[in-house]
Amino acid sequence: MLDAGGRLFLIDCGEGTQQQICRCHFGFVKLEAIFISHIHGDHLFGIFGLLNTMAMCGRKTPIDIYGPPALGSILNFYKSFFGNDDMYELRFHALGCRQPELIHTSREITVSAFPLNHRIDCYGFRFDEIITPRRAEANPACRPKSYAYCSDTAPFPELASWVKGVSCLYHEATFPDELSANAAARFHSTSVQAARCALEAGAGKLIIGHYSSRVKDPEALAQECRSIFPATFAASDREVFEI
């Protein structure tokens, strides 16, 4: 979950997401948009529970949902069986870009999508803060912050340029460097590959996640990354990072 000045943006929706949102004390009403990277269960299986929970909590405002075209059929299935006349509006936006494309604009943030290199259609997302004239006048030293989310993907040349200069980069690190062949076969990245992307992009910090079940100590992956990109952090459930 990205909290941008009180506006909430959910990126992917694994199983039990609505329970994690409750544990973190986020308000369902403040959730502005949902971004689904691809149609694999670990990134999607929580969507029905989340949508239903928001309806039960009395949400009335529409919500924008972005994802691959196939997500539209999944949402239509949900609405046909579980939707009703009183349900808030689900506004689905199918992604199909082959290079970075602006997809969502909020009062203080813009969101771009870009394709990743996975076994199926998969997209990353970049969030860029807008500094309003009022904020700039109040604080001339204020600089816009940015966040990019890259999961799941094998390395490819354009990615670092597409996330160039972000304040914070989330990049999957499914495998340690010694299992690079496994990563390539499954279109995933290693810790070292994630760190190289962050270094080339000139990111402010790197957060890694999406660990293989073979990984028993995520901190060991972070140590591999730090040999290349020192400002690396291994994410764990419900951890908070300031951008």
Side-chain angles (χ1 to χ4, degrees):
M1 184 79 80
L2 177 66
D3 183 344
R7 294 173 180 266
L8 301 179
F9 301 88
L10 180 67
I11 310 110
D12 280 338
C13 191
E15 187 174 358
T17 291
Q18 80 278 13
Q19 296 173 336
Q20 297 285 52
I21 289 175
C22 288
R23 292 185 181 110
C24 293
H25 305 291
F26 287 125
F28 290 104
V29 175
K30 292 185 178 181
L31 184 57
E32 181 172 318
I34 300 172
F35 303 87
I36 302 298
S37 61
H38 63 297
I39 310 302
H40 277 164
D42 55 327
H43 297 258
L44 182 65
F45 280 169
I47 192 73
F48 283 10
L50 175 62
L51 296 177
N52 189 62
T53 297
M54 289 195 293
M56 292 176 63
C57 289
R59 184 187 179 105
K60 299 299 181 184
T61 56
I63 190 163
D64 292 296
I65 304 177
Y66 299 84
L71 181 59
S73 299
I74 296 171
L75 295 176
N76 286 335
F77 170 83
Y78 171 81
K79 288 188 289 184
S80 66
F81 282 90
F82 306 108
N84 54 60
D85 294 338
D86 297 328
M87 186 177 174
Y88 57 92
E89 181 185 2
L90 303 180
R91 300 190 298 213
F92 175 60
H93 309 268
L95 302 176
C97 55
R98 290 293 171 260
Q99 58 184 1
E101 180 179 298
L102 180 66
I103 60 170
H104 185 88
T105 301
S106 189
R107 185 175 62 190
E108 295 182 352
I109 202 164
T110 63
V111 188
S112 300
F114 47 88
L116 295 174
N117 182 19
H118 199 39
R119 292 177 292 173
I120 61 173
D121 280 350
C122 187
Y123 298 90
F125 303 99
R126 175 170 178 154
F127 300 77
D128 286 280
E129 185 181 26
I130 300 170
I131 303 298
T132 63
R134 178 178 295 182
R135 287 185 63 192
E137 183 178 354
N139 183 5
C142 184
R143 294 292 180 267
K145 300 172 184 177
S146 53
Y147 171 73
Y149 174 92
C150 302
S151 183
D152 303 13
T153 187
F156 61 99
E158 297 85 359
L159 182 56
S161 65
W162 291 350
V163 298
K164 194 76 173 178
V166 292
S167 308
C168 181
L169 171 65
Y170 171 88
H171 196 299
E172 69 128 295
T174 304
F175 294 99
D177 186 52
E178 65 182 11
L179 295 178
S180 58
N182 299 66
R186 293 166 174 79
F187 288 85
H188 281 295
S189 294
T190 67
S191 53
V192 167
Q193 289 165 340
R196 287 173 178 163
C197 181
L199 181 65
E200 186 177 346
K205 71 172 67 170
L206 170 65
I207 301 172
I208 58 170
H210 199 275
Y211 316 118
S212 166
S213 59
R214 299 186 185 190
V215 175
K216 305 306 178 184
D217 180 16
E219 184 58 26
L221 292 184
Q223 290 291 353
E224 288 189 337
C225 291
R226 290 181 192 126
S227 66
I228 297 170
F229 190 82
T232 299
F233 304 87
S236 57
D237 286 351
R238 302 194 303 276
E239 192 168 3
V240 176
F241 294 92
E242 294 287 339
I243 299 176

